[in-house]
Amino acid sequence: MEFLKLILVFVHILGAAAIFGGWLANFKTPTVNVWQWYGALVQLVTGLALVGIAEAGTDPVNHAKIGVKLVIAIVIAVAAFIGRKKIKAGEEVSTGIAHAVGGMAFINIAVATLWS
């Protein structure tokens, strides 16, 4: 079970890197790239799996922190979905949507590391 948890944490961090890195890479010309969308989905799935493993085991779970992170992750996923949908329709992604994806990922990373 510990190995599964470590793999999930690894993939969870990769998801955060995809979202945040994609935001930084496109900062001057804001858009939502496909890796940010995949990263958002990976973050949601692995985050929920990690909470499930913690709840099933003996690890303490800070439910307030998890709730805040889940709401932020949903906002990221919705914004990334809207951005990708606009790109597929040939429309321009608004700066607000593009920066919402990266900025909220930045906030979620801060919550994960600074809230103890």
Side-chain angles (χ1 to χ4, degrees):
M1 190 66 101
E2 186 64 25
F3 181 71
L4 175 61
K5 181 180 165 187
L6 292 174
I7 294 298
L8 286 172
V9 168
F10 175 74
V11 174
H12 193 70
I13 291 171
L14 287 178
I19 300 167
F20 189 69
W23 179 51
L24 290 179
N26 296 308
F27 201 82
K28 287 189 177 186
T29 55
T31 189
V32 178
N33 66 41
V34 71
W35 290 107
Q36 288 176 293
W37 168 237
Y38 293 154
L41 294 178
V42 164
Q43 284 272 281
L44 271 173
V45 171
T46 58
L48 291 172
L50 285 165
V51 171
I53 288 173
E55 287 282 354
T58 58
D59 294 340
V61 177
N62 183 339
H63 293 285
K65 177 180 176 180
I66 298 302
V68 168
K69 286 185 56 56
L70 179 61
V71 168
I72 294 170
I74 290 170
V75 169
I76 294 167
V78 168
F81 175 77
I82 291 169
R84 291 307 303 165
K85 190 174 179 182
K86 286 186 175 235
I87 288 172
K88 284 186 178 184
E91 301 173 19
E92 187 174 319
V93 177
S94 70
T95 303
I97 290 289
H99 286 312
V101 173
M104 293 303 284
F106 180 78
I107 291 169
N108 219 7
I109 293 166
V111 168
T113 56
L114 301 176
W115 186 341
S116 52

